Amino acid sequence: MTKDQVDSTRKGDVPEPAARVEGLPHLVGAGPQPSARGEPLARALVVGSLIGVVLAVSNVYMGLKLGLWESGNIIASLLAFGGMTALSRWKGTAGPSAGELQLAQSVATSAGIHPATAGLMGAIPALALMGATPPGWAVVLWGVGLGTLGVWVAFVLRRRLLEEEALPFPTGVATADLISTLRDRGETPREGARGLGWAGVGAAGVTWLREGLRLFPGSSFFPGRLGDVAAEQLQLGVGWSPLLLGLGVLVGPHVGVSLLLGALVAWGLLAPWLVREGRVATSGFEHLVTWLTWPGVGLMVGAAVVTFAALGRLVPALGADVLQLWRRRADGERRVFPWQGSVVPLAVLLVLILGSTVFGLRWWHLLLALVLLLPLCTVGARAAGQTDISPVATIGALQQAAFGAVAQGQPALSVVAGSVVAGPLASTSVGLWSLQAGRLLGVSVPRQFQAQWLGVLLGAAVSLPTYVLLVRAHGLGTPELPVPSALQFQAMAEVSARGLEGLPPFGALAAGLGLLAGILLSLLARGRLERFVPSAVAVGIGFLVPAYYSVTICLGALLAAGARRVWPASAPVSRGVGAGLIIGESLMGVLLALLGLLGLASYN
């Protein structure tokens, strides 16, 4: 997820890393399996592409609402098995092999992560909020260029991180374990699959009733007032949103309660004070969030500072990584596939041309950003391999700060420069998780990269139309699309380019206090108090989104935790239900936006 993948948000749908590795004695270190090579591509690519479309649409929708993304390795594997098994029964052919399932999830996850890679969750909407909206064709090509570079970086780091150092990349191990189990048993886990399916259908139906037929409102606000402001004006209530409930199921109580804490401080305490003191023009969400952005971003930057300091221990290995990337193996095999000799240089050229002609960066700015791409992505990839968390926001913020100092007075340029590294890092992390699964299953590396690059092209084709539909239907910076990641990009750009000038009254003080609080919370969370210390990133997000978002996510997290405590065997069901709720509302929300713009539904 774009904000350092808020604590355990990625880990909500998979076992603990240690259990994953111990559960794969038949896979770890087994090397290539003959049966996994030479798999037919057609069925895997078709099914994987369809799943990739679903993941890309869901990530655009969820990213614009909450700044979060889901890699989808586990979900894609389950859906691929179900889809290919149904096809095989229909045609009377053999069921899917482990190699086919791996290739399908490689395509799907590469397409699904594209909204983060292309900057559609953060950099692109941030530019739009700053009055510098780039043309759609340029965004598509920009995403293809950055996505290709991310896939390439994952490839060149593959042997060093996966084989020579054997970093765990736990999500990849869990994916391989799941695919192996599915293939051996020949059936999907019924509880999780049914939960996902029925929850998806139910979420789509609720969204249709809420937004299409308008039978009930999107949220119910608490009665009463806080000071001189009604709770409804402060967005204090509960949302009738399956997506928010499903996200709560996946992120768990720790993140859910942290979001609620941020909402209570921001919208329950600070917002009424802002209105009472006359610090904002009106009590509407759009006006209040312009001030609350600063302490919220301060909290997230504080967490990023601690994260980057922790990444410092990974830097000494960086030189050895770079030196070994282009060496030959003892058997003469190159670390570069032939197709990269043409595709990668074209991607670099594409980024250089678009960056200088459309996004306004000077050629030497772009060269510097591209030179820093490999080392910064290497540090981020090592973090993803060891902790299962990709520090996308941290690395992007570092790049933004560096370029803000170079391009003073031009905040939009630091946004673009930050996306040059943050985008590929998201693709690199997901690519390495997928490659770890492929290594354990013995799937051909060239075929995996063909699948991942196909996912880049597919994601580019799907993500921008989805983004445009949602923005035209709801606007940016609204309660429907609060775009917290874009607000973080924008705030960082303005501070790095202009300093503290232009901040609202007391904004600088609030940002500084948020920064200190973020550092303190993150440091405390690295000790024995981790379970009891709120997540600084989640608290910060609570400042940037409507309060009922946080209340509903927390409600979903607590309900799921309660169900698991009463019924321990419900864990697979709850994970499937959470994913289904997110996918169902995302797909129906985009469909309704399209129908509304075509005049076929009274939507918005």
Side-chain angles (χ1 to χ4, degrees):
M1 301 183 179
T2 52
K3 299 191 182 309
D4 293 353
Q5 293 187 300
V6 187
D7 285 330
S8 59
T9 304
R10 280 214 77 286
K11 301 175 185 178
D13 61 350
V14 285
E16 290 299 319
R20 297 171 183 165
V21 178
E22 292 169 4
L24 280 174
H26 59 295
L27 290 176
V28 175
Q33 304 297 318
S35 61
R37 295 187 179 273
E39 297 293 350
L41 285 174
R43 183 169 61 174
L45 296 185
V46 170
V47 173
S49 296
L50 293 175
I51 298 169
V53 169
V54 172
L55 292 178
V57 170
S58 297
N59 276 336
V60 173
Y61 193 83
M62 186 166 59
L64 292 175
K65 281 183 172 288
L66 285 151
L68 306 177
W69 51 265
E70 168 61 41
S71 70
N73 301 80
I74 303 296
I75 296 172
S77 300
L78 284 171
L79 293 176
F81 183 83
M84 281 191 275
T85 299
L87 281 176
S88 65
R89 290 174 180 172
W90 178 50
K91 293 188 174 182
T93 57
S97 67
E100 283 185 288
L101 293 174
Q102 168 60 14
L103 293 175
Q105 76 90 17
S106 294
V107 176
T109 53
S110 181
I113 195 57
H114 191 81
T117 302
L120 293 174
M121 302 177 185
I124 300 302
L127 291 173
L129 291 174
M130 298 164 71
T133 304
W137 62 268
V139 175
V140 171
L141 294 178
W142 181 255
V144 170
L146 295 182
T148 301
L149 292 177
V151 169
W152 170 72
V153 172
F155 169 68
V156 297
L157 294 175
R158 175 187 62 89
R159 189 178 302 278
R160 174 70 174 174
L161 300 185
L162 298 184
E163 297 181 9
E164 295 176 4
E165 296 189 22
L167 297 183
F169 286 93
T171 288
V173 178
T175 303
D177 189 18
L178 174 63
I179 289 175
S180 178
T181 301
L182 292 172
R183 186 67 187 98
D184 292 343
R185 293 181 181 177
E187 62 178 3
T188 57
R190 294 181 180 179
E191 296 84 1
R194 287 177 180 175
L196 192 152
W198 284 111
V201 172
V206 170
T207 306
W208 174 267
L209 295 175
R210 186 191 72 216
E211 302 292 353
L213 301 181
R214 298 184 180 276
L215 295 183
F216 53 88
S219 55
S220 297
F221 298 110
F222 300 140
R225 306 175 69 87
L226 290 180
D228 298 328
V229 190
E232 181 175 355
Q233 292 176 294
L234 299 172
Q235 305 283 302
L236 290 171
V238 178
W240 298 103
S241 168
L243 179 142
L244 296 177
L245 284 173
L247 189 59
V249 172
L250 295 185
V251 301
H254 183 239
V255 174
V257 172
S258 299
L259 282 165
L260 180 61
L261 175 62
L264 292 177
V265 173
W267 302 97
L269 296 177
L270 292 178
W273 173 79
L274 290 171
V275 175
R276 183 176 64 250
E277 297 295 322
R279 304 299 179 186
V280 294
T282 68
S283 57
F285 171 82
E286 293 85 350
H287 292 90
L288 287 168
V289 80
T290 57
W291 194 94
L292 293 173
T293 292
W294 296 101
V297 170
L299 279 158
M300 291 186 282
V301 172
V305 169
V306 176
T307 301
F308 189 74
L311 292 176
R313 60 187 174 83
L314 304 177
V315 173
L318 182 60
D321 288 334
V322 175
L323 288 175
Q324 292 195 25
L325 289 180
W326 299 99
R327 290 180 181 174
R328 292 175 179 268
R329 291 179 59 192
D331 59 5
E333 178 186 344
R334 279 191 176 275
R335 294 180 181 272
V336 182
F337 293 137
W339 64 269
Q340 292 183 319
S342 57
V343 173
V344 174
L346 286 176
V348 172
L349 184 62
L350 190 61
V351 171
L352 287 171
I353 292 174
L354 291 174
S356 58
T357 60
V358 176
F359 293 100
L361 285 173
R362 296 181 180 178
W363 66 269
W364 61 274
H365 288 159
L366 283 162
L367 285 179
L368 178 59
L370 290 172
V371 167
L372 293 174
L373 173 67
L374 184 57
L376 289 178
C377 280
T378 300
V379 172
R382 280 184 170 277
Q386 294 179 359
T387 67
D388 216 28
I389 297 174
S390 180
V392 173
T394 300
I395 298 299
L398 175 67
Q399 182 91 322
Q400 265 195 274
F403 274 82
V406 174
Q408 293 185 355
Q410 303 178 76
L413 297 187
S414 73
V415 172
V416 179
S419 71
V420 172
V421 172
L425 176 56
S427 185
T428 295
S429 300
V430 172
L432 284 167
W433 282 321
S434 183
L435 285 171
Q436 175 71 311
R439 183 182 73 86
L440 298 175
L441 294 168
V443 180
S444 165
V445 175
R447 284 201 169 183
Q448 289 183 79
F449 274 93
Q450 291 168 4
Q452 288 189 14
W453 196 55
L454 173 62
V456 170
L457 300 178
L458 177 65
V462 173
S463 300
L464 182 66
T466 303
Y467 171 86
V468 171
L469 281 173
L470 292 173
V471 171
R472 288 183 179 178
H474 300 294
L476 291 172
T478 62
E480 291 78 16
L481 293 182
V483 290
S485 290
L487 295 178
Q488 182 183 5
F489 264 97
Q490 183 182 14
M492 285 292 299
E494 292 177 355
V495 170
S496 61
R498 300 192 180 103
L500 300 181
E501 297 179 5
L503 269 67
F506 296 102
L509 176 61
L513 292 175
L515 177 69
L516 292 176
I519 292 174
L520 178 61
L521 289 174
S522 298
L523 289 175
L524 290 175
R526 293 181 177 274
R528 296 181 178 179
L529 299 176
E530 179 180 3
R531 293 177 55 192
F532 307 100
V533 176
S535 161
V537 175
V539 173
I541 294 176
F543 277 66
L544 305 181
V545 299
Y548 72 85
Y549 278 38
S550 301
V551 173
T552 310
I553 291 172
C554 185
L555 178 62
L558 295 178
L559 288 174
R564 286 193 290 266
R565 180 174 291 273
V566 175
W567 182 28
S570 67
V573 179
S574 65
R575 290 193 291 269
V577 168
L581 292 174
I582 293 171
I583 292 172
E585 178 172 339
S586 299
L587 295 179
M588 182 55 68
V590 172
L591 175 61
L592 288 173
L594 175 60
L595 294 176
L597 292 175
L598 293 176
L600 300 177
S602 58
Y603 185 55
N604 225 37

